[in-house]
Amino acid sequence: MPLLYVALGVALLLFLMLRLKIHCFVALILVALFVGLIQGMSVLGVLGSIKSGVGGTLSNLALIMGFGAMLGKLLGDSGGAQRIAMTLVDKFGEKNIQLAVAATGFIVGFALFFEVGIILLMPLVITLALRLRISLLYVGIPMAAAISVTHCFLPPHPGPTAIANIFNADMGKTLIYGVIIAIPSIIISGIFFARIPYIRRMNPEIHMGFANREFSESEMPGFGVSVFTALIPVILMALRAILEMTLTKGHPILPYAEFFGDPVVATLIAAIVALYTFGYKRGKTVSEITTSIESSAKLIAMMLLIIGAGGAFKQVLIDSGVKDYIASNMHAFSFSPILLAWIIAVILRLALGSATVTALTTGGIVFPLIQATGVSPELMVLAVGSGSVFFSHVNDPGFWMIKEYFNLSVVDTLKSWSVLETIISICGLLGCLAINAFI
Protein backbone atom coordinates (compact mmCIF):
# COMPACT_ATOMS: atom_id res chain seq x y z
CA MET A 1 0.00 0.00 0.00
CA PRO A 2 2.76 2.59 0.72
CA LEU A 3 4.02 2.30 -2.87
CA LEU A 4 0.46 2.70 -4.14
CA TYR A 5 0.11 5.88 -2.08
CA VAL A 6 3.35 7.23 -3.56
CA ALA A 7 2.04 6.45 -7.05
CA LEU A 8 -1.21 8.27 -6.24
CA GLY A 9 0.83 11.22 -4.99
CA VAL A 10 2.83 11.37 -8.23
CA ALA A 11 -0.40 11.11 -10.24
CA LEU A 12 -1.84 13.99 -8.24
CA LEU A 13 1.31 16.01 -8.85
CA LEU A 14 0.96 15.47 -12.60
CA PHE A 15 -2.73 16.42 -12.50
CA LEU A 16 -2.10 19.61 -10.53
CA MET A 17 0.79 20.75 -12.70
CA LEU A 18 -0.28 19.62 -16.16
CA ARG A 19 -4.06 19.86 -16.05
CA LEU A 20 -4.75 22.58 -13.46
CA LYS A 21 -1.51 24.50 -14.24
CA ILE A 22 -0.74 24.96 -10.53
CA HIS A 23 2.83 26.09 -9.87
CA CYS A 24 5.15 23.21 -8.99
CA PHE A 25 6.04 24.72 -5.57
CA VAL A 26 2.41 24.73 -4.46
CA ALA A 27 1.75 21.38 -6.13
CA LEU A 28 4.64 19.68 -4.29
CA ILE A 29 3.45 20.96 -0.91
CA LEU A 30 -0.12 19.79 -1.61
CA VAL A 31 1.13 16.36 -2.67
CA ALA A 32 3.27 16.08 0.46
CA LEU A 33 0.16 16.82 2.57
CA PHE A 34 -1.90 14.30 0.59
CA VAL A 35 0.62 11.44 0.84
CA GLY A 36 1.20 12.03 4.54
CA LEU A 37 -2.52 12.03 5.38
CA ILE A 38 -3.44 8.92 3.36
CA GLN A 39 -0.47 7.18 4.97
CA GLY A 40 -2.13 7.74 8.33
CA MET A 41 -0.10 10.64 9.70
CA SER A 42 -1.86 13.21 11.86
CA VAL A 43 -2.50 16.67 10.46
CA LEU A 44 0.07 18.22 12.81
CA GLY A 45 2.49 15.39 12.06
CA VAL A 46 2.35 16.07 8.33
CA LEU A 47 2.77 19.79 8.93
CA GLY A 48 5.80 19.13 11.12
CA SER A 49 7.36 16.89 8.47
CA ILE A 50 6.86 19.52 5.78
CA LYS A 51 8.47 22.22 7.91
CA SER A 52 11.32 19.90 8.84
CA GLY A 53 11.84 18.87 5.21
CA VAL A 54 11.95 22.44 3.92
CA GLY A 55 14.29 23.58 6.69
CA GLY A 56 16.60 20.59 6.43
CA THR A 57 16.90 20.82 2.67
CA LEU A 58 17.55 24.55 2.54
CA SER A 59 19.82 24.80 5.59
CA ASN A 60 23.00 24.44 3.51
CA LEU A 61 21.54 24.81 0.05
CA ALA A 62 20.33 28.40 0.43
CA LEU A 63 23.87 29.56 1.19
CA ILE A 64 25.47 27.52 -1.60
CA MET A 65 22.98 28.71 -4.21
CA GLY A 66 23.11 32.29 -2.96
CA PHE A 67 26.89 32.55 -3.17
CA GLY A 68 26.90 30.61 -6.46
CA ALA A 69 24.38 32.98 -8.01
CA MET A 70 26.49 35.97 -6.92
CA LEU A 71 29.56 34.43 -8.55
CA GLY A 72 27.75 33.73 -11.80
CA LYS A 73 26.15 37.18 -12.03
CA LEU A 74 29.43 38.96 -11.36
CA LEU A 75 31.14 36.75 -13.98
CA GLY A 76 28.56 37.70 -16.59
CA ASP A 77 28.25 41.39 -15.73
CA SER A 78 32.02 41.94 -15.77
CA GLY A 79 32.59 40.38 -19.18
CA GLY A 80 34.43 37.42 -17.68
CA ALA A 81 32.29 34.90 -19.57
CA GLN A 82 32.96 36.73 -22.83
CA ARG A 83 36.72 36.79 -22.09
CA ILE A 84 36.79 33.01 -21.49
CA ALA A 85 34.86 32.37 -24.70
CA MET A 86 36.94 34.68 -26.91
CA THR A 87 40.26 33.39 -25.60
CA LEU A 88 39.38 29.72 -26.04
CA VAL A 89 38.06 30.33 -29.54
CA ASP A 90 41.28 32.13 -30.48
CA LYS A 91 43.49 29.39 -28.97
CA PHE A 92 41.66 26.43 -30.50
CA GLY A 93 41.28 28.02 -33.92
CA GLU A 94 38.64 27.62 -36.61
CA LYS A 95 39.41 23.94 -37.24
CA ASN A 96 38.62 22.99 -33.62
CA ILE A 97 35.83 25.50 -33.10
CA GLN A 98 33.48 22.88 -31.62
CA LEU A 99 36.02 21.97 -28.92
CA ALA A 100 36.49 25.64 -28.11
CA VAL A 101 32.77 26.28 -27.72
CA ALA A 102 32.29 23.09 -25.68
CA ALA A 103 35.17 24.02 -23.36
CA THR A 104 33.68 27.49 -22.96
CA GLY A 105 30.28 26.05 -22.06
CA PHE A 106 31.87 23.63 -19.59
CA ILE A 107 33.92 26.28 -17.74
CA VAL A 108 31.23 28.96 -17.77
CA GLY A 109 28.58 26.36 -16.95
CA PHE A 110 30.14 25.66 -13.57
CA ALA A 111 29.30 29.19 -12.42
CA LEU A 112 26.07 29.88 -14.29
CA PHE A 113 22.58 28.40 -14.26
CA PHE A 114 21.47 26.76 -17.52
CA GLU A 115 19.25 29.58 -18.74
CA VAL A 116 21.81 32.28 -17.88
CA GLY A 117 24.61 30.36 -19.59
CA ILE A 118 22.58 30.03 -22.81
CA ILE A 119 21.69 33.73 -22.76
CA LEU A 120 25.31 34.81 -22.21
CA LEU A 121 26.94 32.52 -24.77
CA MET A 122 24.33 32.61 -27.54
CA PRO A 123 25.63 35.92 -29.01
CA LEU A 124 29.10 34.37 -29.26
CA VAL A 125 27.69 31.32 -31.06
CA ILE A 126 25.77 33.55 -33.48
CA THR A 127 28.90 35.63 -34.15
CA LEU A 128 30.99 32.53 -34.85
CA ALA A 129 28.38 31.04 -37.18
CA LEU A 130 28.22 34.26 -39.20
CA ARG A 131 31.98 34.84 -39.25
CA LEU A 132 32.87 31.27 -40.25
CA ARG A 133 29.78 30.78 -42.47
CA ILE A 134 28.80 27.54 -40.79
CA SER A 135 25.55 26.16 -39.42
CA LEU A 136 24.38 27.65 -36.15
CA LEU A 137 23.75 24.15 -34.81
CA TYR A 138 27.30 23.03 -35.64
CA VAL A 139 28.70 25.46 -33.04
CA GLY A 140 25.58 25.81 -30.91
CA ILE A 141 25.02 22.16 -30.02
CA PRO A 142 28.44 21.72 -28.32
CA MET A 143 27.80 24.83 -26.22
CA ALA A 144 24.27 23.75 -25.24
CA ALA A 145 25.44 20.20 -24.47
CA ALA A 146 28.24 21.39 -22.20
CA ILE A 147 25.96 23.70 -20.23
CA SER A 148 23.27 21.02 -19.93
CA VAL A 149 25.81 18.47 -18.66
CA THR A 150 27.11 20.80 -15.94
CA HIS A 151 23.51 21.60 -15.02
CA CYS A 152 22.48 17.98 -14.43
CA PHE A 153 25.73 16.38 -13.17
CA LEU A 154 27.91 18.84 -11.33
CA PRO A 155 27.64 20.68 -8.00
CA PRO A 156 27.23 23.53 -7.18
CA HIS A 157 24.30 23.51 -9.64
CA PRO A 158 20.90 23.42 -7.86
CA GLY A 159 19.72 19.98 -9.06
CA PRO A 160 22.75 17.82 -8.21
CA THR A 161 23.48 19.88 -5.09
CA ALA A 162 19.92 19.44 -3.78
CA ILE A 163 19.91 15.70 -4.49
CA ALA A 164 23.34 15.28 -2.91
CA ASN A 165 21.94 17.02 0.16
CA ILE A 166 18.90 14.69 0.26
CA PHE A 167 21.08 11.58 -0.23
CA ASN A 168 23.76 12.74 2.24
CA ALA A 169 26.26 12.34 -0.60
CA ASP A 170 29.75 13.80 -0.49
CA MET A 171 29.79 16.87 -2.75
CA GLY A 172 33.47 16.45 -3.64
CA LYS A 173 33.07 12.82 -4.72
CA THR A 174 29.90 13.71 -6.61
CA LEU A 175 31.86 16.40 -8.44
CA ILE A 176 34.76 14.09 -9.32
CA TYR A 177 32.51 11.27 -10.54
CA GLY A 178 30.41 13.86 -12.36
CA VAL A 179 33.41 15.28 -14.23
CA ILE A 180 34.53 11.76 -15.20
CA ILE A 181 31.10 11.17 -16.75
CA ALA A 182 30.62 14.72 -18.05
CA ILE A 183 33.63 14.92 -20.37
CA PRO A 184 32.79 11.91 -22.60
CA SER A 185 29.10 12.89 -22.45
CA ILE A 186 29.92 16.32 -23.88
CA ILE A 187 32.15 14.86 -26.59
CA ILE A 188 29.50 12.35 -27.68
CA SER A 189 26.39 14.54 -27.38
CA GLY A 190 27.95 17.88 -28.23
CA ILE A 191 30.62 17.23 -30.85
CA PHE A 192 29.92 13.87 -32.52
CA PHE A 193 26.15 14.39 -32.54
CA ALA A 194 26.49 17.84 -34.16
CA ARG A 195 28.41 16.25 -37.04
CA ILE A 196 25.88 13.63 -38.08
CA PRO A 197 24.34 14.29 -41.53
CA TYR A 198 20.76 15.17 -40.59
CA ILE A 199 21.93 17.74 -38.03
CA ARG A 200 24.39 19.28 -40.49
CA ARG A 201 21.59 19.57 -43.04
CA MET A 202 19.61 21.72 -40.60
CA ASN A 203 20.59 25.30 -41.28
CA PRO A 204 18.12 27.59 -39.49
CA GLU A 205 18.15 31.27 -40.29
CA ILE A 206 20.10 33.11 -37.62
CA HIS A 207 17.89 35.14 -35.30
CA MET A 208 19.61 38.52 -34.87
CA GLY A 209 17.26 39.66 -32.11
CA PHE A 210 19.24 37.89 -29.41
CA ALA A 211 22.20 40.23 -29.39
CA ASN A 212 23.84 40.75 -26.03
CA ARG A 213 26.13 43.44 -24.71
CA GLU A 214 29.59 43.30 -26.27
CA PHE A 215 32.37 44.20 -23.84
CA SER A 216 35.41 46.08 -25.08
CA GLU A 217 38.91 44.68 -24.55
CA SER A 218 39.62 47.09 -21.70
CA GLU A 219 36.34 46.31 -19.91
CA MET A 220 36.94 42.56 -19.59
CA PRO A 221 39.02 40.88 -16.88
CA GLY A 222 41.93 38.65 -17.93
CA PHE A 223 41.45 35.05 -19.03
CA GLY A 224 43.42 33.48 -16.19
CA VAL A 225 41.67 35.38 -13.43
CA SER A 226 38.25 34.72 -15.03
CA VAL A 227 38.77 30.96 -15.23
CA PHE A 228 40.35 30.75 -11.78
CA THR A 229 37.57 32.72 -10.09
CA ALA A 230 34.83 30.74 -11.83
CA LEU A 231 36.39 27.41 -10.85
CA ILE A 232 37.31 28.17 -7.22
CA PRO A 233 34.40 26.09 -5.80
CA VAL A 234 35.30 23.20 -8.12
CA ILE A 235 38.98 23.31 -7.16
CA LEU A 236 38.32 23.43 -3.42
CA MET A 237 35.65 20.71 -3.38
CA ALA A 238 37.67 18.41 -5.64
CA LEU A 239 40.82 18.95 -3.56
CA ARG A 240 38.94 18.04 -0.40
CA ALA A 241 37.61 14.83 -1.96
CA ILE A 242 41.06 13.83 -3.25
CA LEU A 243 42.70 14.42 0.15
CA GLU A 244 39.96 12.48 1.95
CA MET A 245 40.49 9.53 -0.38
CA THR A 246 44.31 9.57 -0.18
CA LEU A 247 45.19 10.65 3.38
CA THR A 248 44.74 8.45 6.43
CA LYS A 249 41.98 9.27 8.88
CA GLY A 250 43.20 11.70 11.57
CA HIS A 251 45.75 13.40 9.31
CA PRO A 252 46.26 17.01 10.52
CA ILE A 253 45.52 18.46 7.06
CA LEU A 254 42.06 16.87 6.78
CA PRO A 255 40.17 19.31 9.05
CA TYR A 256 41.40 22.23 6.94
CA ALA A 257 40.55 20.40 3.71
CA GLU A 258 37.06 19.63 5.03
CA PHE A 259 36.55 23.28 6.03
CA PHE A 260 37.76 24.95 2.84
CA GLY A 261 36.27 22.19 0.67
CA ASP A 262 32.83 22.45 2.25
CA PRO A 263 30.46 23.65 -0.51
CA VAL A 264 29.25 26.59 1.58
CA VAL A 265 32.77 27.82 2.35
CA ALA A 266 34.02 27.10 -1.19
CA THR A 267 31.25 29.14 -2.84
CA LEU A 268 31.61 31.90 -0.22
CA ILE A 269 35.34 32.20 -0.97
CA ALA A 270 34.60 32.29 -4.71
CA ALA A 271 31.96 35.01 -4.23
CA ILE A 272 34.37 37.12 -2.14
CA VAL A 273 37.14 36.74 -4.70
CA ALA A 274 34.66 37.63 -7.48
CA LEU A 275 33.73 40.84 -5.66
CA TYR A 276 37.34 41.89 -6.14
CA THR A 277 38.30 40.35 -9.49
CA PHE A 278 35.01 41.08 -11.28
CA GLY A 279 34.05 44.14 -9.25
CA TYR A 280 36.45 46.48 -7.49
CA LYS A 281 39.44 45.58 -9.69
CA ARG A 282 37.40 46.37 -12.80
CA GLY A 283 36.57 49.84 -11.46
CA LYS A 284 32.94 49.08 -10.64
CA THR A 285 31.27 51.24 -8.03
CA VAL A 286 29.75 49.87 -4.86
CA SER A 287 26.31 50.64 -6.30
CA GLU A 288 27.00 48.62 -9.47
CA ILE A 289 28.29 45.65 -7.50
CA THR A 290 25.30 45.80 -5.16
CA THR A 291 22.94 45.84 -8.15
CA SER A 292 24.57 42.66 -9.53
CA ILE A 293 24.31 40.93 -6.16
CA GLU A 294 20.67 41.91 -5.67
CA SER A 295 19.69 40.79 -9.15
CA SER A 296 21.42 37.45 -8.57
CA ALA A 297 19.00 36.77 -5.71
CA LYS A 298 16.07 37.03 -8.12
CA LEU A 299 17.53 34.17 -10.16
CA ILE A 300 17.28 31.70 -7.30
CA ALA A 301 14.31 32.87 -5.20
CA MET A 302 11.65 30.65 -6.78
CA MET A 303 14.12 27.82 -7.33
CA LEU A 304 14.82 27.73 -3.59
CA LEU A 305 11.10 27.44 -2.84
CA ILE A 306 10.74 24.57 -5.33
CA ILE A 307 13.74 22.75 -3.87
CA GLY A 308 12.38 23.29 -0.36
CA ALA A 309 9.04 21.81 -1.41
CA GLY A 310 10.87 18.81 -2.85
CA GLY A 311 12.58 18.38 0.51
CA ALA A 312 9.18 18.50 2.23
CA PHE A 313 7.90 15.68 0.01
CA LYS A 314 11.00 13.62 0.78
CA GLN A 315 10.59 14.11 4.53
CA VAL A 316 6.92 13.09 4.47
CA LEU A 317 7.87 9.87 2.66
CA ILE A 318 10.41 9.16 5.40
CA ASP A 319 8.21 10.07 8.38
CA SER A 320 5.12 8.30 7.05
CA GLY A 321 6.91 4.95 6.84
CA VAL A 322 7.42 4.69 3.07
CA LYS A 323 11.20 4.70 3.55
CA ASP A 324 11.09 1.78 5.98
CA TYR A 325 8.65 -0.14 3.77
CA ILE A 326 10.91 0.12 0.72
CA ALA A 327 14.01 -0.72 2.77
CA SER A 328 12.40 -3.86 4.19
CA ASN A 329 11.16 -5.07 0.81
CA MET A 330 14.29 -4.56 -1.26
CA HIS A 331 14.24 -8.24 -2.22
CA ALA A 332 11.38 -7.36 -4.59
CA PHE A 333 13.76 -5.26 -6.68
CA SER A 334 15.77 -7.59 -8.90
CA PHE A 335 17.91 -5.02 -10.71
CA SER A 336 20.37 -2.21 -10.01
CA PRO A 337 19.14 0.65 -7.78
CA ILE A 338 21.07 2.99 -10.07
CA LEU A 339 19.03 1.80 -13.04
CA LEU A 340 15.80 1.95 -11.01
CA ALA A 341 16.52 5.55 -9.95
CA TRP A 342 17.24 6.50 -13.57
CA ILE A 343 14.03 4.88 -14.85
CA ILE A 344 11.89 6.65 -12.24
CA ALA A 345 13.53 9.97 -13.12
CA VAL A 346 12.97 9.36 -16.85
CA ILE A 347 9.26 8.65 -16.34
CA LEU A 348 8.81 11.78 -14.23
CA ARG A 349 10.89 13.89 -16.64
CA LEU A 350 8.67 12.90 -19.57
CA ALA A 351 5.59 13.80 -17.54
CA LEU A 352 6.73 16.88 -15.61
CA GLY A 353 9.20 18.59 -17.95
CA SER A 354 11.25 20.44 -15.34
CA ALA A 355 14.59 18.72 -14.68
CA THR A 356 14.86 20.22 -11.19
CA VAL A 357 11.35 19.18 -10.11
CA THR A 358 11.94 15.73 -11.61
CA ALA A 359 15.21 15.29 -9.73
CA LEU A 360 13.73 16.40 -6.40
CA THR A 361 10.63 14.21 -6.72
CA THR A 362 12.75 11.20 -7.71
CA GLY A 363 15.14 11.90 -4.85
CA GLY A 364 12.38 11.59 -2.30
CA ILE A 365 11.16 8.31 -3.81
CA VAL A 366 14.51 6.51 -4.22
CA PHE A 367 16.30 7.76 -1.08
CA PRO A 368 15.48 4.56 0.87
CA LEU A 369 17.29 2.45 -1.73
CA ILE A 370 20.64 3.92 -0.69
CA GLN A 371 20.56 2.67 2.89
CA ALA A 372 18.89 -0.59 1.92
CA THR A 373 21.40 -1.54 -0.78
CA GLY A 374 24.59 0.26 0.21
CA VAL A 375 24.89 1.76 -3.28
CA SER A 376 27.09 4.85 -3.63
CA PRO A 377 24.93 7.92 -2.84
CA GLU A 378 27.15 9.96 -5.16
CA LEU A 379 26.36 7.69 -8.12
CA MET A 380 22.67 7.77 -7.21
CA VAL A 381 22.83 11.58 -7.41
CA LEU A 382 24.27 11.31 -10.91
CA ALA A 383 21.79 8.61 -11.96
CA VAL A 384 18.87 10.80 -10.91
CA GLY A 385 20.48 13.81 -12.62
CA SER A 386 20.92 11.78 -15.81
CA GLY A 387 17.32 10.63 -15.85
CA SER A 388 16.06 14.14 -15.14
CA VAL A 389 17.21 15.46 -18.56
CA PHE A 390 15.92 12.59 -20.72
CA PHE A 391 14.17 13.71 -23.95
CA SER A 392 13.29 17.34 -23.26
CA HIS A 393 10.05 18.13 -25.09
CA VAL A 394 7.14 20.57 -25.17
CA ASN A 395 6.46 20.57 -21.41
CA ASP A 396 10.04 21.69 -20.64
CA PRO A 397 10.70 25.47 -20.59
CA GLY A 398 14.24 24.76 -21.80
CA PHE A 399 12.82 23.18 -24.96
CA TRP A 400 11.13 26.43 -25.98
CA MET A 401 14.18 28.47 -25.03
CA ILE A 402 16.40 26.40 -27.35
CA LYS A 403 13.76 26.49 -30.09
CA GLU A 404 13.60 30.29 -30.06
CA TYR A 405 17.33 30.97 -29.72
CA PHE A 406 18.22 28.59 -32.55
CA ASN A 407 15.16 29.62 -34.61
CA LEU A 408 14.05 26.01 -35.11
CA SER A 409 10.68 24.47 -35.84
CA VAL A 410 9.13 22.26 -33.17
CA VAL A 411 9.94 19.15 -35.22
CA ASP A 412 13.59 20.17 -35.71
CA THR A 413 13.90 21.01 -32.01
CA LEU A 414 12.69 17.50 -31.20
CA LYS A 415 15.16 16.02 -33.71
CA SER A 416 18.10 18.03 -32.36
CA TRP A 417 17.73 19.25 -28.77
CA SER A 418 15.47 16.43 -27.53
CA VAL A 419 17.75 13.77 -28.96
CA LEU A 420 20.83 15.56 -27.57
CA GLU A 421 19.33 15.51 -24.07
CA THR A 422 18.52 11.81 -24.46
CA ILE A 423 22.11 11.06 -25.43
CA ILE A 424 23.35 12.94 -22.34
CA SER A 425 20.92 10.98 -20.17
CA ILE A 426 22.00 7.58 -21.52
CA CYS A 427 25.70 8.50 -21.32
CA GLY A 428 25.15 9.49 -17.69
CA LEU A 429 23.48 6.18 -16.86
CA LEU A 430 26.21 4.13 -18.56
CA GLY A 431 28.88 6.18 -16.78
CA CYS A 432 27.26 5.56 -13.39
CA LEU A 433 27.02 1.83 -14.03
CA ALA A 434 30.64 1.71 -15.22
CA ILE A 435 32.00 3.55 -12.17
CA ASN A 436 29.84 1.43 -9.87
CA ALA A 437 31.51 -1.69 -11.31
CA PHE A 438 34.92 -0.44 -10.16
CA ILE A 439 34.26 1.10 -6.72
Side-chain angles (χ1 to χ4, degrees):
M1 292 302 289
L3 294 182
L4 175 61
Y5 295 151
V6 173
L8 288 173
V10 172
L12 176 61
L13 182 67
L14 298 178
F15 177 75
L16 293 175
M17 290 180 60
L18 303 181
R19 189 61 182 264
L20 300 185
K21 306 299 182 185
I22 294 177
H23 193 278
C24 53
F25 165 64
V26 178
L28 279 167
I29 295 296
L30 291 175
V31 167
L33 280 167
F34 171 75
V35 172
L37 291 174
I38 64 173
Q39 275 282 91
M41 296 179 70
S42 68
V43 177
L44 292 180
V46 176
L47 183 60
S49 289
I50 289 174
K51 290 179 179 179
S52 173
V54 172
T57 301
L58 296 183
S59 58
N60 293 326
L61 210 56
L63 294 173
I64 297 169
M65 289 181 60
F67 295 138
M70 286 172 54
L71 169 63
K73 192 73 171 91
L74 290 166
L75 173 69
D77 289 350
S78 68
Q82 183 178 319
R83 169 66 77 189
I84 293 171
M86 290 175 59
T87 304
L88 287 175
V89 168
D90 289 341
K91 294 293 184 184
F92 278 86
E94 181 179 336
K95 186 176 179 181
N96 298 308
I97 195 67
Q98 286 185 306
L99 281 173
V101 175
T104 301
F106 189 64
I107 295 172
V108 171
F110 271 109
L112 298 173
F113 298 137
F114 175 79
E115 294 84 357
V116 180
I118 295 292
I119 290 169
L120 280 177
L121 294 184
M122 201 63 207
L124 167 76
V125 170
I126 290 173
T127 301
L128 289 173
L130 289 171
R131 184 189 302 171
L132 302 177
R133 297 182 180 180
I134 55 179
S135 166
L136 183 61
L137 290 176
Y138 185 77
V139 286
I141 282 180
M143 177 272 291
I147 293 178
S148 179
V149 164
T150 59
H151 175 71
C152 69
F153 289 157
L154 305 176
H157 275 272
T161 304
I163 301 305
N165 191 59
I166 290 173
F167 290 173
N168 298 316
D170 182 274
M171 292 280 187
K173 285 185 180 179
T174 303
L175 179 63
I176 290 173
Y177 293 158
V179 169
I180 292 172
I181 296 172
I183 292 173
S185 297
I186 293 171
I187 293 172
I188 294 169
S189 66
I191 296 176
F192 292 163
F193 177 63
R195 295 178 180 180
I196 66 175
Y198 89 83
I199 294 294
R200 299 198 70 162
R201 284 195 294 269
M202 290 183 195
N203 192 21
E205 183 180 349
I206 293 176
H207 199 315
M208 300 306 296
F210 293 119
N212 203 6
R213 181 190 168 187
E214 287 286 331
F215 292 87
S216 66
E217 182 68 24
S218 61
E219 288 179 308
M220 295 182 290
F223 174 74
V225 73
S226 298
V227 172
F228 174 72
T229 306
L231 295 184
I232 284 175
V234 178
I235 294 169
L236 291 175
M237 287 192 288
L239 184 60
R240 171 192 172 182
I242 292 170
L243 291 175
E244 286 179 337
M245 288 187 286
T246 55
L247 297 179
T248 57
K249 191 173 182 179
H251 195 285
I253 292 179
L254 281 180
Y256 298 99
E258 290 170 359
F259 174 78
F260 288 106
D262 184 271
V264 173
V265 177
T267 50
L268 170 60
I269 292 172
I272 292 172
V273 172
L275 288 173
Y276 174 72
T277 57
F278 298 148
Y280 299 118
K281 190 178 180 181
R282 306 307 310 159
K284 289 183 176 289
T285 65
V286 173
S287 176
E288 289 174 324
I289 295 172
T290 301
T291 299
S292 289
I293 293 173
E294 289 177 349
S295 61
S296 71
K298 298 175 184 177
L299 298 172
I300 62 168
M302 184 51 68
M303 197 174 296
L304 281 172
L305 290 176
I306 295 170
I307 290 172
F313 181 52
K314 178 266 302 186
Q315 193 62 41
V316 167
L317 293 180
I318 292 173
D319 293 346
S320 65
V322 174
K323 169 182 173 291
D324 295 332
Y325 177 84
I326 293 176
S328 63
N329 288 274
M330 265 309 298
H331 62 274
F333 299 101
S334 58
F335 53 95
S336 165
I338 290 174
L339 179 58
L340 179 61
W342 182 83
I343 290 172
I344 293 172
V346 165
I347 294 170
L348 291 176
R349 161 67 160 179
L350 292 173
L352 295 175
S354 168
T356 302
V357 176
T358 295
L360 290 166
T361 306
T362 306
I365 294 171
V366 305
F367 171 69
L369 299 178
I370 296 172
Q371 292 178 317
T373 63
V375 67
S376 164
E378 293 80 22
L379 291 180
M380 288 290 277
V381 171
L382 298 173
V384 171
S386 301
S388 73
V389 298
F390 187 91
F391 198 77
S392 163
H393 62 97
V394 294
N395 62 355
D396 176 18
F399 175 91
W400 298 104
M401 185 177 189
I402 294 296
K403 176 192 176 299
E404 293 303 313
Y405 269 102
F406 285 93
N407 202 22
L408 296 165
S409 67
V410 171
V411 172
D412 282 348
T413 309
L414 288 168
K415 290 165 63 178
S416 55
W417 171 247
S418 301
V419 175
L420 180 152
E421 289 281 81
T422 303
I423 294 171
I424 292 173
S425 181
I426 294 172
C427 286
L429 171 64
L430 295 177
C432 289
L433 293 174
I435 293 175
N436 187 58
F438 287 97
I439 64 172

